[in-house]
């Protein structure tokens, strides 16, 4: 079984499942039931995955929110989605506080040191009077019953035509789930693990894009469920990714072409500084990749 880590915090697969079940109990305690939504106004953090998996166990919908939103945009999404609970980092609460709909329950996630360091943030004390996510999960009993089939996350569109839109999809049938697993397993390079020909714990991947986007969201959730080792990074930085590959012996990555562009712009001395020999499989999605960029990456990282 794999692990999931962020900064100095590491959870074994067993520990993570326990915290997700505790999170389900916490979320249910806020009145969230099957078919309801929970807004995740969070940067890349362990709490995002605890809450996302927890609401899924209730048959509810995780609703990841772009935390760059203006108060007007945030208020629209929170109203339009009809979520029953908002889980939000402490430093993100103040700027949108006045936009939060009346009566919407809020749980505060303390902004962890690795996120503060990555974004140059001062420590933000949790606002008084609101429950703290960590304390709630620590005190909760794990969900005792069998989890519901988890539906897909509701990820709002960019809003290129009018306001952003979210789509609520039912949980997959067993046949749909099998087809989706096969397709995603192939695209992520996980086919051998899915077919029992490789121990998932020999796979090490990283969350390097914001999990409010669909591609990083799907890849990270799939990797955790598979039992791979998952490193959660607060934000993308080209040289830091090279250092991460060397330090954690990353084997699989899911990327977007702009990341390739930023990597290729690094000085040659920096490119040669890091051992990237652990890499086995790198996929890209989300946008077309210019052939010269892809060729340059293959020349550098291998086929």
């Amino acid at each position: 079984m794999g692990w999931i880590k962020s900064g100095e915090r590491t959870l074994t697969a067993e520990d993570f499942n326990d915290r997700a079940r505790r999170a389900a109990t916490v979320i249910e305690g806020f009145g969230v039931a099957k078919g309801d939504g929970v807004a995740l106004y969070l940067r890349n953090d362990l709490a995002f995955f605890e809450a996302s998996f927890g609401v899924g166990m209730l048959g509810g919908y995780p609703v990841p929110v772009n935390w760059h939103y203006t108060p007007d945009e945030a208020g629209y999404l929170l109203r339009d989605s009809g979520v029953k609970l908002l889980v939000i980092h402490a430093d993100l609460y103040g700027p949108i506080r006045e936009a939060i709909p009346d009566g919407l329950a809020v749980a505060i996630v303390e902004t962890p040191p690795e996120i503060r360091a990555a974004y140059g943030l001062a420590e933000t004390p949790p606002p008084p009077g609101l429950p703290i996510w960590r304390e709630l999960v620590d005190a909760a009993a794990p969900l005792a019953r069998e989890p519901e089939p988890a539906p897909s996350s509701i990820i709002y569109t960019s809003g290129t035509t009018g306001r952003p839109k979210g789509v609520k999809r039912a949980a997959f049938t067993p046949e749909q789930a099998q087809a989706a697993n096969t397709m995603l397993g192939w695209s992520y390079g996980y086919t051998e693990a899915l077919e029992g020909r490789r121990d998932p714990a020999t796979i090490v991947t990283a969350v390097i894009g914001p999990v409010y986007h669909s591609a990083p969201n799907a890849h990270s959730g799939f990797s955790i469920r598979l039992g791979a080792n998952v490193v959660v990074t607060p934000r993308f930085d080209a040289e830091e990714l090279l250092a991460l590959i060397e330090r954690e012996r990353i084997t699989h990555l899911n990327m977007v072409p702009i990341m390739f562009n930023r990597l290729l712009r690094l000085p040659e001395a920096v490119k040669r500084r890091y051992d990237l020999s652990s890499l086995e499989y790198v996929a890209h999605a989300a946008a077309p990749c210019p052939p010269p960029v892809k060729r340059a990456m293959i020349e550098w990282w291998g086929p």
Side-chain angles (χ1 to χ4, degrees), residues 85-99:
L85 172 66
L86 168 63
V87 184
I88 185 169
H89 273 132
D91 68 288
L92 299 175
Y93 173 76
I96 68 156
R97 179 180 56 195
E98 299 303 321

Side-chain angles (χ1 to χ4, degrees), residues 19 23 25-27 29-31 38-39 42 47 51 84-91 93 100 103-111 124-140:
R19 289 193 65 79
T25 300
V26 169
I27 292 166
F30 281 100
V38 173
L42 300 166
K84 298 293 183 66
L85 172 66
L86 168 63
V87 184
I88 185 169
H89 273 132
D91 68 288
Y93 173 76
I100 298 172
L104 178 58
V106 177
I108 298 294
V109 176
E110 298 153 306
T111 309
T124 304
L130 291 176
I132 306 302
W133 176 259
R134 174 182 51 81
E135 296 174 356
L136 293 173
V137 174
D138 286 349

Side-chain angles (χ1 to χ4, degrees), residues 23-92:
T25 300
V26 169
I27 292 166
E28 190 170 50
F30 281 100
V32 176
K34 184 176 182 179
D36 291 335
V38 173
L40 308 179
Y41 210 102
L42 300 166
R43 297 183 177 89
N44 293 7
D45 189 5
L46 296 182
F48 179 97
F49 297 103
E50 292 171 355
S52 182
F53 276 61
V55 67
M57 290 177 178
L58 301 176
Y61 290 85
V63 185
V65 186
N66 182 341
W67 50 267
H68 296 94
Y69 272 171
T70 64
D72 176 67
E73 291 169 329
Y76 160 76
L77 185 148
L78 295 173
R79 293 188 304 272
D80 182 75
S81 63
V83 292
K84 298 293 183 66
L85 172 66
L86 168 63
V87 184
I88 185 169
H89 273 132
D91 68 288
L92 299 175

Side-chain angles (χ1 to χ4, degrees), residues 76 157-165:
Y76 160 76
T157 65
S158 60
T160 50
T161 53
R163 290 283 200 176
K165 302 160 190 70

Side-chain angles (χ1 to χ4, degrees), residues 211-222:
V211 285
Y212 60 77
H213 278 310
S214 57
N217 186 282
H219 171 256
S220 56
F222 193 95

Side-chain angles (χ1 to χ4, degrees), residues 159-221:
T160 50
T161 53
R163 290 283 200 176
K165 302 160 190 70
V167 177
K168 180 180 284 190
R169 295 183 293 176
F172 284 151
T173 66
E175 294 77 15
Q176 290 172 325
Q178 178 61 41
N181 282 346
T182 299
M183 181 273 291
L184 290 174
W186 174 80
S187 65
Y188 299 151
Y190 295 163
T191 298
E192 288 184 347
L194 284 172
E195 293 179 349
R197 296 183 286 117
R198 176 173 184 166
D199 181 355
T202 64
I203 293 172
V204 186
T205 191
V207 182
I208 57 176
V211 285
Y212 60 77
H213 278 310
S214 57
N217 186 282
H219 171 256
S220 56

